[in-house]
Amino acid sequence: MQETITHKLTAEFTPHYLDVEDESHGHNVAEGAESHFKVVLASPVFAGMRAVKRHQQVYGVLSEELAGSVHALALHLYTPEEWDDKGIAPKSPACLGGSKNDK
């Protein structure tokens, strides 16, 4: 799944920078599940777009994956200039255990 996401985003956005990280291991999922991902993407396509529109663009490209096995997608989306100024994306928060902690 990580390879599929990387391929689709590369084909659509011609990234200045792209990192797709499988964070499933840090969540309450079956071993080997590929369901939680963090995407850091800098693309000239995002120039002039607000954050919501950037997210919508990525969701559109990954709609099949989001309708299937991908449960969570943390998106950090930048223009090349924004990325060059920032150079680092926020860390993902720790999983709180999901429904196993519901009372």
Side-chain angles (χ1 to χ4, degrees), residues 26-92:
H27 294 272
N28 184 30
V29 297
E31 188 171 329
E34 291 183 289
S35 58
H36 292 67
F37 290 89
K38 175 180 178 178
V39 172
V40 181
L41 172 60
S43 172
V45 173
F46 297 140
M49 285 186 197
R50 293 179 183 240
V52 170
K53 183 68 173 172
R54 294 176 188 190
H55 281 73
Q56 289 170 339
Q57 294 287 312
V58 173
Y59 294 150
V61 171
L62 300 177
S63 61
E64 290 179 34
E65 291 72 21
L66 290 166
S69 64
V70 175
H71 170 73
L73 189 62
L75 298 177
H76 305 281
L77 309 174
Y78 308 94
T79 65
E81 297 78 18
E82 291 166 345
W83 177 250
D84 289 343
D85 286 345
K86 190 170 186 89
I88 190 166
K91 292 185 178 193
S92 296

Side-chain angles (χ1 to χ4, degrees), residues 1-12 18 20 61:
M1 184 58 64
Q2 183 174 8
E3 189 175 306
T4 297
I5 292 170
T6 300
H7 175 73
K8 284 187 162 189
L9 294 177
T10 298
E12 184 71 22
L18 175 61
V20 178
V61 171

Side-chain angles (χ1 to χ4, degrees), residues 15-32:
H16 172 75
Y17 178 85
L18 175 61
D19 182 41
V20 178
E21 183 179 347
D22 182 356
E23 296 185 322
S24 302
H25 64 279
H27 294 272
N28 184 30
V29 297
E31 188 171 329

